[in-house]
């Protein structure tokens, strides 16, 4: 059985970035991480979360827990700040499975309508991987930055259903890397339903498109209509 470690960045006294409307990165990360874990478990993957509540969770502790768990893959979930937009992933300079994981996750997030800033590496002044989670974790490890919390980009993750959707997108990227086929939640024996997704029910058209994609993955028919 495949094993995956999911880190929920920051926590406790470390709030991470502070977003529009007072949303805290640590809370957004945890919500997305839980949704990702639930989707992986639905596919039979064993999962360990770095935390399941708001508590101090320094990266050194994350790395130690991850290495003790000895997973096949490790993913640390974060959100960005700095007024930009889009998602990005980071992987080790050695490439390999970590690079494949980073690319697969980003592909799934971009399929929701989110802008892709690329799968990339980041090195320190010594030429080693910059991030401790990537540098010190024994399993292939990546960091995911889902969206920018201090710009209009936060519209992608400012509700629980949206955070669930992006968590499930990350899970699909992980499943693809593990070679596990995605299983739609809807039973094929059930009658197909048709949904009209109204743009006015979402903060922008991009989120309406993401909802259409989510419904189609669940086996439904769906189109966007203007309200």
């Amino acid at each position: 059985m495949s094993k995956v470690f999911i880190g929920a960045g920051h926590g406790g006294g470390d709030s991470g970035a502070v977003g529009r409307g007072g949303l805290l990165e640590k809370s957004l990360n945890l919500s997305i991480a839980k949704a990702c874990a639930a989707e992986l478990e639905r596919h039979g993957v064993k999962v360990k979360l770095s935390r399941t509540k708001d508590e101090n969770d320094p990266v050194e502790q994350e790395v130690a827990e991850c290495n003790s768990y000895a997973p096949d893959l490790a993913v640390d979930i974060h959100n960005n700040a700095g007024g930009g937009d889009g998602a990005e992933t980071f992987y080790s300079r050695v490439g390999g499975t970590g690079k494949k994981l980073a690319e697969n996750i980003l592909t799934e997030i971009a399929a929701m309508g989110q802008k892709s800033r690329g799968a990339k590496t980041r090195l320190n002044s010594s030429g080693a991987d910059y991030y401790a989670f990537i540098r010190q974790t024994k399993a292939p490890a990546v960091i995911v930055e889902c969206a920018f919390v201090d710009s209009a980009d936060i519209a992608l993750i400012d509700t629980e259903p949206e955070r669930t959707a992006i968590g499930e997108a990350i899970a699909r990227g992980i499943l693809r890397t593990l070679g596990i086929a995605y299983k739609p939640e809807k039973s094929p024996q059930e009658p197909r339903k048709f949904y009209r997704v109204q743009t006015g029910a979402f903060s922008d058209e991009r989120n309406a498109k993401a909802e259409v994609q989510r419904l189609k993955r669940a086996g439904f028919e769906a189109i966007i209509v203007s309200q």
Side-chain angles (χ1 to χ4, degrees):
M1 179 180 290
S2 297
K3 295 168 58 177
V4 174
F5 181 88
I6 303 294
H10 307 288
D14 176 12
S15 68
V18 179
R20 291 188 175 186
L23 289 173
L24 301 179
E25 184 193 353
K26 65 177 183 178
S27 300
L28 300 172
N29 297 344
L30 181 58
S31 179
I32 294 168
K34 285 182 174 180
C36 179
E39 184 69 350
L40 289 173
E41 288 171 344
R42 188 174 72 83
H43 286 78
V45 177
K46 291 185 66 176
V47 180
K48 181 175 178 60
L49 283 162
S50 67
R51 60 185 177 94
T52 58
K53 59 184 180 179
D54 184 19
E55 61 185 6
N56 288 323
D57 189 30
V59 67
E60 294 81 6
Q61 181 175 315
E62 270 195 351
V63 169
E65 290 177 354
C66 180
N67 287 338
S68 177
Y69 186 58
D72 298 291
L73 301 173
V75 177
D76 203 22
I77 294 174
H78 287 261
N79 281 280
N80 239 324
D85 66 324
E88 57 190 356
T89 54
F90 292 89
Y91 60 90
S92 172
R93 62 186 178 84
V94 302
T97 301
K99 180 180 181 181
K100 180 181 178 182
L101 175 61
E103 291 172 342
N104 286 342
I105 290 173
L106 195 59
T107 295
E108 293 293 341
I109 294 176
M112 299 174 59
Q114 172 67 317
K115 173 184 173 181
S116 171
R117 297 171 62 89
K120 58 191 78 172
T121 59
R122 183 178 179 186
L123 306 181
N124 61 23
S125 58
S126 301
D129 288 304
Y130 178 86
Y131 296 107
F133 185 82
I134 294 174
R135 186 178 66 251
Q136 298 177 6
T137 298
K138 295 177 183 178
V142 305
I143 291 175
V144 184
E145 299 277 2
C146 302
F148 282 75
V149 302
D150 57 349
S151 72
D153 206 39
I154 200 172
L156 184 75
I157 55 169
D158 61 357
T159 68
E160 192 66 29
E162 289 169 331
R163 292 190 286 276
T164 295
I166 203 163
E168 290 176 351
I170 294 170
R172 289 193 298 275
I174 295 170
L175 291 170
R176 182 187 296 187
T177 308
L178 292 171
I180 298 173
Y182 174 73
K183 299 184 297 185
E185 293 185 41
K186 175 179 174 293
S187 168
Q189 284 74 38
E190 296 176 7
R192 294 176 69 85
K193 295 181 179 179
F194 186 83
Y195 288 87
R196 290 179 174 83
V197 178
Q198 294 184 332
T199 55
F202 294 84
S203 52
D204 60 28
E205 186 177 354
R206 179 184 60 186
N207 290 328
K209 290 179 179 178
E211 176 64 7
V212 167
Q213 292 301 314
R214 186 190 71 79
L215 289 167
K216 287 183 176 180
R217 284 193 299 270
F220 302 118
E221 298 289 345
I223 61 170
I224 293 179
V225 295
S226 298
Q227 190 175 39

